[in-house]
Amino acid sequence: MKDHTILTQPPETLTGLSVSKPSKIAAGLKAVIQSMEFAWSEGGVGRGTQALLNLNQKDGFDCSSCAWPDPDGHRSVAEFCENGAKATASDADTRRADPEFFSKHSLAELSRMTDRDLNNAGRLTHPLIRRPGATHYAPITWLEAFELIGRELNALASPDEALFYTSGKVPNEPAFLYQLFVRQFGTNNLPDCSNMCHESSGTALAPTLGLGKGSTTLHDIHEAEVILIMGQNPGTNHPRMLTALQIAKKKGAKIIAINPLHETGLDHFKNPQDFMNPIKAVGTLVGKGTPIADVFLQVKINGDMAVLKGIIKHLFALEEKHPGKVIDQRFIEEFTAGYEAFRINSRQDSWDEIEASSGLSRKEIEAAAELLAFKDKIVTCWAMGITQHKNGVDTIKEIVNMHLLKGAIGKIGAGTCPVRGHSNVQGDRTMGIWEKPEEKFLDALKKEYRFEPPRKHGLDTIDGVKAMHEGKLKVFISMGGNLLSASSDTEFVAEGIRQLKLSVYVSTKLNRGHLTTGETALILPCYAHLDKDMQRSGQQFTSCENSMGVVSQSKGVLDPLEGEMLSEVAIISGMALATLGEKSTVDWVGYTENYDTIRDSIARIVPGFENFNEKIRKPGGFYLPNGPRHRQFNTSNGRANFSVTQIEAHELEKDQLVLMTIRSHDQFNTTIYDYNDRYRGVFGERRVIFMNAEDMAERNIKHEQLVNITSHFNGQQRRIERFIALSYDIPKGNTAAYYPEANPLVPIDSVAKESNTPTSKFVVVSIEAA
């Protein structure tokens, strides 16, 4: 039976909108002040300051927000951004969501709180259970919780009736143990948040370059002559990237920004670290900051493929005028395959089609191409604005085509750079968190632990949600994360979760995903990155892998709050012991007592981690092997492969628009820190939709008027209500609204080809006055 008393979406109550002009400068003194306010208000001055001073330091802990790399050499005393400060302040929170808190608030009452207020309830301190039919969570002992999990898992008709999800916040050591537990249990149902973000990147990069990761280092960004930034908003989602862009600009780099919105971080940037330098502080304060983008192409939503096609078309034309100067024929002949088919296909692209699809003029695209024409130190960065489209994989393949054409890979200052948005999302995949494991990895597990791992591919996130909805799954266990709010089609996900026998979340803080549950539900509180992890052999550390393949250690600095929290390693080991018992060949107790033993096993199983315990103790960590970085392409034919792609036409009916979901400045993934989006000039409210002024006038919608939004997909409709329409600089026919509020509009079946990633950046909608 559906329980409609528990809201699966944020409440429709408005929180008090005020609007100003969008900011022209990213970071600066406001970012410094905002960072300190968050750190001191939630963790207190002492805990907050101690945490920030150790954040991203070589002997400190890894930021739990974005995966942007830290400098290999000297690090600033403030090696963090505003985003990292907010995430750290949230983790250092001294407020407590303890059993007393849950005894006062039913799940229905909690669901009527905003996502910000749920997060601000404080750190989870004790294991909790929602028993069948109960209205509240209540305390449970760890032993009872583990026994319940083991009992429910062992009662399944097949291990494939369980789904084991992972958030990108989970460090390497617990991630490795989690997949080991799940595979000894007998399934490859190991979806993760990569399925919903950069799965398209890995799907495109593996067959073309031989590695599903980027090829650049931080040094390459600094040394690049031209940097393309596509479908990405670094000012809000990866603010420390702006420092790298600032360094590149001062060395003479040109930056091309391709995005439907003018994002502040790509306009001007004031480096907050300059305020700590007496020589730079005054100039930084009164100046306009470093201009970032030299060219801004305000592309229509999903017009990126057409822009790339136009750039490549003009590069071929310039090569005819300047033979041997534009296209790197030597690189193409020595290292690539598929060039001729790609060349013929590129010539067939018409400028009329390119202009119509991109929303840009031929002149604008040619101007961008001319910045690239006689350069070969080129870096292209991208994020969700590229990956979360139906043709996202092909668009990334076209990025690769451009780099191969220019020979702009495998050299200093050049390469591909998918910018991942979670602290260890790349490391989790390296540790085996994947529903489609490679045979070599499974063979290594078999050799190390003397068991036969399952070989059948498991369910990814979207297929897992569908199986849940169809009643094929009975148990759901999540290491971190908030699947309900992070996934597309919120109500569809909720209907699936309600059919489960047991739902389990291992978490640090309360979120909306804890409130819509299976028949029985558990919340298991774990340490955050900044908490000291004391085990029998002493204080432990873990490790994380950043966007550029550097693995470094993370060691907590704060005493955990009083309570019964356990480390992720201890929780996974507890579940494994209760479920597998004597059937397991793993020393779960030994792994929990000393994490060096986990790393010794990883060193024998995962390529690149040889002598793991030795290398991880070197300040700054170590780089993993990266073939494309050295022009070694581990593809099926041993070469870098050009691809043949097509521009995808989109037919909309009259009055329909295209919506993309975006994040505000005061959020990280589904965690909402506040209701503000300072850079876009929106304060006190999240239920807004950004619209082109002409689109508003055609629909007789006024600025700040309430509207309802309906999405359209294959004859189906989904609807959300009471959003405030804001006139904004966005291409005609395009709109944008915040995630997760707009997620109910994204159809579960609307996914990228090949990668199965939700198309959260391309949703066909109609909008009407409320």
Side-chain angles (χ1 to χ4, degrees), residues 13-172:
T13 306
L14 301 178
T15 50
L17 173 70
S18 65
V19 180
S20 68
K21 289 184 177 180
S23 175
K24 293 291 185 183
I25 301 174
L29 190 58
K30 283 186 178 179
V32 176
I33 294 170
Q34 191 87 347
S35 298
M36 294 305 102
E37 285 180 350
F38 269 92
W40 293 339
S41 65
E42 297 193 17
V45 174
R47 280 172 62 87
T49 302
Q50 183 183 2
L52 291 181
L53 290 176
N54 286 276
L55 178 57
N56 293 324
Q57 299 300 323
K58 292 180 180 179
D59 57 351
F61 64 94
D62 187 70
C63 182
S64 61
S65 62
C66 88
W68 187 254
D70 307 308
D72 290 336
H74 171 74
R75 296 188 185 177
S76 162
V77 69
E79 196 60 60
F80 56 85
C81 65
E82 185 180 343
N83 247 17
K86 291 171 184 172
T88 300
S90 183
D91 288 342
D93 200 345
T94 54
R95 293 169 294 193
R96 301 163 56 84
D98 56 16
E100 183 180 359
F101 170 84
F102 285 96
S103 70
K104 294 177 180 176
H105 302 286
S106 69
L107 273 70
E109 290 170 352
L110 291 171
S111 76
R112 281 157 178 77
M113 294 169 61
T114 65
D115 288 352
R116 182 199 71 170
D117 291 344
L118 289 173
N119 184 67
N120 286 350
R123 286 289 297 272
L124 296 160
T125 60
H126 291 71
L128 301 162
I129 184 169
R130 188 234 178 149
R131 299 187 188 277
T135 58
H136 291 65
Y137 274 104
I140 185 175
T141 68
W142 280 107
L143 181 59
E144 290 173 315
F146 292 146
E147 287 178 344
L148 172 61
I149 292 168
R151 191 163 57 248
E152 290 293 344
L153 287 175
N154 287 323
L156 298 176
S158 162
D160 292 332
E161 290 185 336
L163 192 73
F164 299 85
Y165 179 78
T166 314
S167 155
K169 190 182 284 190
V170 180
N172 288 327

Side-chain angles (χ1 to χ4, degrees), residues 469-727:
H469 195 269
E470 294 166 6
K472 294 178 180 178
L473 298 177
K474 307 300 181 188
V475 176
F476 172 69
I477 299 177
S478 181
M479 288 296 299
N482 177 1
L483 181 68
L484 174 72
S485 299
S487 179
S488 53
D489 217 337
T490 308
E491 294 298 336
F492 185 93
V493 179
E495 289 172 7
I497 291 173
R498 293 189 191 107
Q499 295 187 60
L500 296 166
K501 286 277 291 179
L502 175 66
S503 55
V504 181
Y505 274 96
V506 179
S507 303
T508 57
K509 282 201 152 185
L510 182 63
N511 65 54
R512 193 165 299 280
H514 300 135
L515 308 180
T516 295
T517 73
E519 183 180 336
T520 302
L522 291 170
I523 299 177
L524 306 180
C526 68
Y527 296 148
H529 288 195
L530 52 66
D531 290 320
K532 292 180 181 177
D533 181 358
M534 302 301 298
Q535 301 296 337
R536 187 169 182 177
S537 64
Q539 184 175 354
Q540 306 300 307
F541 68 85
T542 55
S543 62
C544 293
E545 178 186 343
N546 66 33
S547 274
M548 295 180 181
V550 178
V551 180
S552 56
Q553 70 169 270
S554 178
K555 191 172 186 177
V557 298
L558 299 183
D559 292 327
L561 296 186
E562 184 179 346
E564 297 178 8
M565 294 177 284
L566 293 179
S567 71
E568 291 160 310
V569 166
I571 293 171
I572 294 163
S573 295
M575 291 191 293
L577 286 166
T579 305
L580 304 175
E582 295 181 357
K583 294 185 294 183
S584 179
T585 58
V586 178
D587 183 5
W588 299 102
V589 174
Y591 276 162
T592 303
E593 291 178 345
N594 188 338
Y595 297 179
D596 278 356
T597 60
I598 307 173
R599 286 185 283 271
D600 285 338
S601 295
I602 293 171
R604 292 189 289 269
I605 291 170
V606 184
F609 285 83
E610 299 80 8
N611 302 315
F612 190 5
N613 270 309
E614 177 185 342
K615 291 190 291 188
I616 197 62
R617 284 173 163 83
K618 294 178 180 177
F622 61 96
Y623 281 88
L624 291 176
N626 188 299
R629 199 172 284 164
H630 306 286
R631 296 191 167 178
Q632 297 168 0
F633 304 106
N634 298 314
T635 58
S636 58
N637 59 5
R639 302 177 76 81
N641 291 299
F642 282 95
S643 306
V644 172
T645 65
Q646 306 295 333
I647 295 174
E648 194 155 309
H650 299 284
E651 298 292 333
L652 301 183
E653 296 181 10
K654 184 181 178 182
D655 290 335
Q656 288 184 343
L657 304 167
V658 176
L659 176 141
M660 64 177 180
T661 65
I662 58 176
R663 299 178 192 169
S664 78
H665 194 64
D666 277 349
Q667 78 177 98
F668 178 72
N669 288 346
T670 60
T671 303
I672 310 301
Y673 302 121
D674 213 337
Y675 306 132
N676 304 323
D677 195 355
R678 187 171 80 242
Y679 291 169
R680 297 190 183 106
V682 177
F683 299 89
E685 186 58 70
R686 292 182 53 81
R687 297 185 71 83
V688 300
I689 180 167
F690 300 97
M691 297 183 66
N692 178 280
E694 291 183 42
D695 289 330
M696 294 176 73
E698 289 173 3
R699 290 157 180 79
N700 198 28
I701 295 171
K702 295 181 173 54
H703 183 66
E704 297 190 32
Q705 183 173 345
L706 279 178
V707 297
N708 298 329
I709 312 166
T710 303
S711 70
H712 306 269
F713 179 79
N714 289 350
Q716 307 167 14
Q717 293 187 351
R718 291 160 177 81
R719 183 179 175 89
I720 53 177
E721 300 183 344
R722 292 180 57 77
F723 278 66
I724 302 172
L726 298 180
S727 177

Side-chain angles (χ1 to χ4, degrees), residues 424-442:
N424 197 44
V425 64
Q426 187 159 299
D428 287 348
R429 185 57 61 86
T430 303
M431 290 295 108
I433 300 291
W434 197 22
E435 71 281 356
K436 295 181 286 189
E438 295 182 352
E439 289 295 317
K440 287 182 180 179
F441 179 80
L442 296 179

